[in-house]
Amino acid sequence: MKIVAKKKLWKYLFWFGPFLITVGLTVGLVSQQWGLIPLAFLIAGIVISGLGIIWQSYQSNWWRRRSTQAGTNALVATLAVLAILGLINFLGTRYHLRADLTETQLFTLAPQSRELVRVLPQPVKVWVFDINQNPQDRELLENYQRQSSKFKYEYIDPQARPGLAEKFGVKDYGEVYLESGDKRQLVQTVNENERLSEVRLTSRLQQLTNSTTAKVYLLQGHGERQLSPGKGAISQAIQGLGDKNFTTSPLNLGETSKVPQDAAVVIVAGPKRGLFEGEVKALQEYLNRGGNLLLMIDPNTDPKVDSLLQEWGVRLDNRLAVDVSGESVVGLGPATPLVTEYGQHPITKDFRNGNSFYPIARPLEISSVPGVEATPLLRTKPYPKSWAESDLQSEKLEFNADKDLKGPLTLGVALTRKAAKSASTPQAAPTPSPLPSPTNQSKASPALPPPPAPSSQTATESRLVVLGNSNFATDGLFQQQLNGDVFLNSVTWLSQQEKQPLSIRPKEPKNRRITLTATQANLLILSSLLVLPLIGFAIAVIIWWKRR
């Protein structure tokens, strides 16, 4: 009787183990602190439970049973799977690994955005004043926040926190503000039809964190593109420059005769009349002192800049660029070249095989010039897809081997040249000492070269971008495909601001819809609802018949 009572006592004592484990888990979960007390309960419970299992198996020879071994294997496999899942979840909370399998990387930030956020000089915060939290907007903000701990965001109900809404000057639901230090800026207003834009958010972030601005001058007085909204204007391009922290001003060299000293870039956009000789010399002097120039020259025009371009090894071809590759695909006419091939250059490095098009463009001829590094930016497809047409009056464009030029054609080029920027008033070079004559050379001491004069020149780099078209940057066409990126990236590269991110093109999902006729739709419904179930039923009947 004593032995039986002792066994029952040990059996009840071992049930105390699960009780202690439950107490330890309860204390830890309620207090949310896994200190000494909950850990002591857990360890004691696990030890008692383990001893109980060992004692029970010893008494009943439990481990030698086949059912026990099978159950143990299943338990070990289950615990292993749970441990693996737990480890995966632990690593997932510590390290973020995401794969965007969409063709256009719809759910991945552009490299320009990632780089900008990673090097933020100070904390920034996005305030979204809206009661509805759109999942698409939250995903975009989460992508930004993953890049840096200095980037935060918060959704605010303007009615619940009117003081904060008044501080930002909120007027309507959906307004998104960016704050850094004591600076605040409106990004955009989101609604059901317009979601938060990566392009706008990155542009405003660049403006807010970068206190420096670059001055861009646009030459006027020769029929150039209008800067304010209107037919054939480039007002959208001007707005794009403003979004990237550039300040723009018109420039009339006929009045000033010299490019201002604060000019980071000068743009000549589609002049219809020739420049005066003094204006061309002013642009040459600007380039010689390390300036940066963007020339966008249309066909059938003569801006009288041949002397300037000759120094850089560029010649404007008077023929018309013809491209028939986009005529059947996207409906572009033969006089509108569709470009999908770009040079290896910072301006076009992220374009891949994207589309940009240039209505009424002229080719460029590039020749080698010492000290000038040229990189073609835009190239048309090879002949017979494209050629340079010399007969501009003919209604039917056909290749003429005697007058026309076979493609591929260069429609844009980027050039760099080392320039000398004068640090002081140039002085006359010292007259070199005469070399000793051969008759006196054996008797005289070896002549030493004169000491070098202090250098009054500081080496800098001047940059030039020439495009055989200006229509691509006009209102309406500027926002199409990569047209705006070509313009904005060219100005950004010319400004020589290494920290200024290049343009971010909007990401658009590929249209992969399948258009079915009524007959095809009915056939699909019939096959999915009737034919396929009947096939499965027939297979089941055959299998049953063979097994009976």
Side-chain angles (χ1 to χ4, degrees), residues 5 15 43 50 63 69 103 150 153 181 208 211-212 218 261 269 321 331 352 377 431 472:
W15 275 108
I43 293 173
W63 285 106
Q69 294 176 358
E103 183 177 355
K150 294 182 179 180
Y153 74 92
L208 200 65
S211 58
T212 61
L218 294 102
Q261 291 291 334
R352 298 184 179 89
L377 297 177
T431 304
F472 79 99

Side-chain angles (χ1 to χ4, degrees), residues 59-174:
Q59 292 293 326
S60 60
N61 206 16
W62 184 65
W63 285 106
R64 296 183 181 180
R65 297 177 186 176
R66 181 176 297 178
S67 60
T68 302
Q69 294 176 358
T72 303
N73 291 335
L75 179 62
V76 171
T78 303
L79 293 176
V81 171
L82 293 177
I84 293 173
L85 292 177
L87 181 61
I88 292 175
N89 279 278
F90 172 75
L91 294 176
T93 57
R94 295 289 300 272
Y95 307 99
H96 298 285
L97 179 62
R98 305 171 71 249
D100 188 355
L101 302 180
T102 57
E103 183 177 355
T104 55
Q105 300 293 291
L106 288 173
F107 306 104
T108 304
L109 292 180
Q112 299 91 331
S113 300
R114 295 198 300 267
E115 182 63 24
L116 179 63
V117 178
R118 287 172 182 170
V119 297
L120 284 174
Q122 57 188 359
V124 297
K125 188 170 184 178
V126 175
W127 300 87
V128 185
F129 291 90
D130 201 352
I131 56 176
N132 299 318
Q133 300 186 18
N134 183 271
Q136 181 179 339
D137 295 346
R138 284 186 62 90
E139 178 66 20
L140 178 61
L141 293 171
E142 288 286 347
N143 285 341
Y144 276 93
Q145 189 168 267
R146 291 188 186 100
Q147 310 304 318
S148 173
S149 59
K150 294 182 179 180
F151 186 95
K152 304 292 182 183
Y153 74 92
E154 185 177 352
Y155 276 84
I156 299 296
D157 182 359
Q159 297 294 335
R161 300 180 65 179
L164 186 61
E166 183 179 358
K167 174 183 176 182
F168 280 86
V170 177
K171 299 179 181 179
D172 197 5
Y173 283 99

